[in-house]
Amino acid sequence: MKTIIILDQIQAGLGGDERSDTPLGGKKIAMGSADNVEKALEAVNGEIIGTFYCGPKYYQQNKEIVQRKFSKMAEKMEADVVIVGPTFDYHDFAEMAVEIGTAITENTSIPVIGAIAKEKNQELIEKYKDKFPIVKMPKKGGTGLAESLDNLAKGCQILTNITNKGDIAKFKGSYCY
């Protein structure tokens, strides 16, 4: 299962809030927090084939460009699934993630799954949870993170092997908002 992950500059390991203007980019490796996601994906025969990133400030000033380029690159790399997040409780990143996830869902045939903490993001989750599955995440790393990443990997597996729509409904009911 070929997976693309979309992160902000913090989660990609490219700097803190002072670098929120980091332009869009990508590498054909797991970067930053994607390393932990990749370990969970390996348990379900998945791999990260690319990490796409940009800072939330850059995204806010270039939404259409970022959405279009990330969608096109996911198609070009023939991703089986796209993960947006984990955003933890970073609101600006969560907003960017749900908007990019929605654009990919609407403009490609690639399934999307999100990983967002409800802290600071409850309104976003309520608004976007019907667009694509959003896995429950802790507000920071630590307690519950390994379980959430395992659930994220299970969700990727279900989305790429859809034979029964009931599987998605059951997954969403158990592990998503």
Side-chain angles (χ1 to χ4, degrees), residues 101-151:
T102 299
I104 291 171
T105 298
E106 292 174 351
N107 297 307
T108 75
S109 61
I110 303 168
V112 173
I113 188 167
I116 300 173
K118 67 180 177 189
E119 290 80 6
K120 301 181 188 175
N121 299 310
Q122 190 64 45
E123 288 181 29
L124 287 173
I125 291 166
E126 287 302 314
K127 182 176 178 181
Y128 288 92
K129 70 181 183 179
D130 294 329
K131 305 276 186 190
F132 53 86
I134 300 175
V135 174
K136 298 173 185 174
M137 291 296 294
K139 65 181 180 176
K140 296 285 183 212
T143 305
L145 180 59
E147 181 181 354
S148 294
L149 295 177
D150 288 344
N151 293 337

Side-chain angles (χ1 to χ4, degrees), residues 1-7 26-42 44-52 77 79-83 85-86 149 152-153 156:
M1 169 178 50
K2 298 184 300 185
T3 308
I4 300 280
I5 189 165
I6 297 176
L7 302 173
K27 293 194 177 182
K28 292 182 178 181
I29 59 170
M31 297 173 60
S33 64
D35 285 337
N36 291 329
V37 175
E38 187 165 52
K39 288 176 184 139
L41 286 170
E42 287 171 356
V44 294
N45 296 316
E47 66 176 326
I48 292 180
I49 61 167
T51 304
F52 299 167
M77 293 176 72
D80 296 315
V81 64
V82 172
I83 298 171
L149 295 177
L152 181 63
C156 289

Side-chain angles (χ1 to χ4, degrees), residues 21-22 25 46 54 58 80 106 170:
D21 61 348
T22 299
C54 77
Y58 179 88
D80 296 315
E106 292 174 351
K170 196 182 322 176

Side-chain angles (χ1 to χ4, degrees), residues 63-81:
K63 285 183 181 189
E64 290 180 19
I65 293 168
V66 173
Q67 291 173 4
R68 185 178 67 250
K69 287 192 175 186
F70 283 177
S71 295
K72 293 290 183 197
M73 285 305 299
E75 284 183 315
K76 184 176 181 180
M77 293 176 72
E78 298 179 350
D80 296 315
V81 64

